[in-house]
Amino acid sequence: MGLLQNFRNNINQRNQGSASVAKERLQILVAHDRMGRDQPSYLKHLEREILEVIRKYVPVDEEAISVSYEQEGQQEILELNIILPDHGSRL
Amino acid sequence: MGLLQNFRNNINQRNQGSASVAKERLQILVAHDRMGRDQPSYLKHLEREILEVIRKYVPVDEEAISVSYEQEGQQEILELNIILPDHGSRL
């Protein structure tokens, strides 16, 4: 599965680069192929709601979230990178 | 941004391969680097809740969802691929 492999390879590379400051991290990518629809995007709403869901499980500081949003033609990609606090998991 | 580029390249490749059956799609990847925590995973819970969030915006058939979950060492990756119904967006 190419997408998954690319994703894992990239994360592994990142981890190797920052091994000395190992942090628990959560990365979320959402890609929407809209196929020519001329309708408003809901990805920005998804972003907020996905963060709310994650906060049910782990505390997330606002400053620990980096968000990237890109649109290219009919494709939108939302990327969330979250550094989780130490010992933050509630489960 | 390597991760984003890999993601986009891969999606573009997929799109080219299936251009004759163009469908609106949503792809979601969640990667969790747990950094050695010996705690239960909450990714399976996230999966269910993220799908609930998405259903607020677009109708999603159960059979249109494919889920992949992989765990390798301290890293978990959840992948959701959703084929959206034609004219399904509510916004």
Side-chain angles (χ1 to χ4, degrees):
Chain A
M1 187 169 289
L3 182 55
L4 202 55
Q5 193 57 51
N6 283 345
F7 193 56
R8 184 183 299 110
N9 289 346
N10 193 293
I11 291 168
N12 286 341
Q13 286 168 11
R14 289 190 179 193
N15 288 353
Q16 286 167 9
S18 61
S20 60
V21 287
K23 287 278 184 188
E24 185 161 359
R25 285 188 293 190
L26 204 54
Q27 294 180 282
I28 301 164
L29 287 172
V30 183
H32 187 193
D33 295 322
R34 303 177 68 194
M35 293 299 154
R37 289 186 187 205
D38 189 22
Q39 292 181 330
S41 168
Y42 52 81
L43 238 57
K44 298 270 185 173
H45 298 275
L46 276 185
E47 171 194 329
R48 197 186 58 228
E49 297 210 42
I50 287 173
L51 284 171
E52 284 174 12
V53 165
I54 289 166
R55 284 200 172 93
K56 293 183 186 178
Y57 298 97
V58 282
V60 176
D61 294 332
E62 281 298 328
E63 62 265 34
I65 305 168
S66 71
V67 179
S68 152
Y69 175 80
E70 298 200 18
Q71 183 162 13
E72 197 174 298
Q74 297 169 349
Q75 183 173 93
E76 301 172 282
I77 298 181
L78 174 71
E79 180 177 8
L80 302 174
N81 283 284
I82 303 167
I83 307 292
L84 299 175
D86 294 339
H87 311 296
S89 180
R90 288 170 187 159
L91 282 186
Chain B
M1 189 169 286
L3 182 55
L4 203 54
Q5 194 58 52
N6 284 344
F7 193 55
R8 184 183 300 110
N9 288 346
N10 192 291
I11 291 168
N12 285 342
Q13 285 168 11
R14 288 189 179 197
N15 288 352
Q16 286 166 9
S18 62
S20 59
V21 287
K23 288 278 183 186
E24 184 160 0
R25 285 187 293 191
L26 205 53
Q27 294 180 282
I28 301 165
L29 287 171
V30 184
H32 188 192
D33 294 323
R34 303 176 68 194
M35 293 300 154
R37 288 187 187 203
D38 189 20
Q39 292 180 331
S41 168
Y42 51 80
L43 238 57
K44 298 271 186 173
H45 299 274
L46 276 185
E47 172 194 328
R48 198 185 58 229
E49 298 208 43
I50 286 173
L51 283 173
E52 284 174 11
V53 165
I54 288 166
R55 284 200 172 93
K56 293 183 186 177
Y57 299 96
V58 281
V60 176
D61 293 331
E62 281 298 328
E63 61 266 34
I65 305 168
S66 70
V67 179
S68 151
Y69 174 81
E70 297 200 18
Q71 184 162 15
E72 197 175 297
Q74 296 168 350
Q75 182 173 94
E76 301 171 281
I77 298 181
L78 173 71
E79 180 177 8
L80 303 174
N81 283 283
I82 304 168
I83 307 292
L84 299 175
D86 294 340
H87 310 296
S89 179
R90 287 172 186 158
L91 280 186

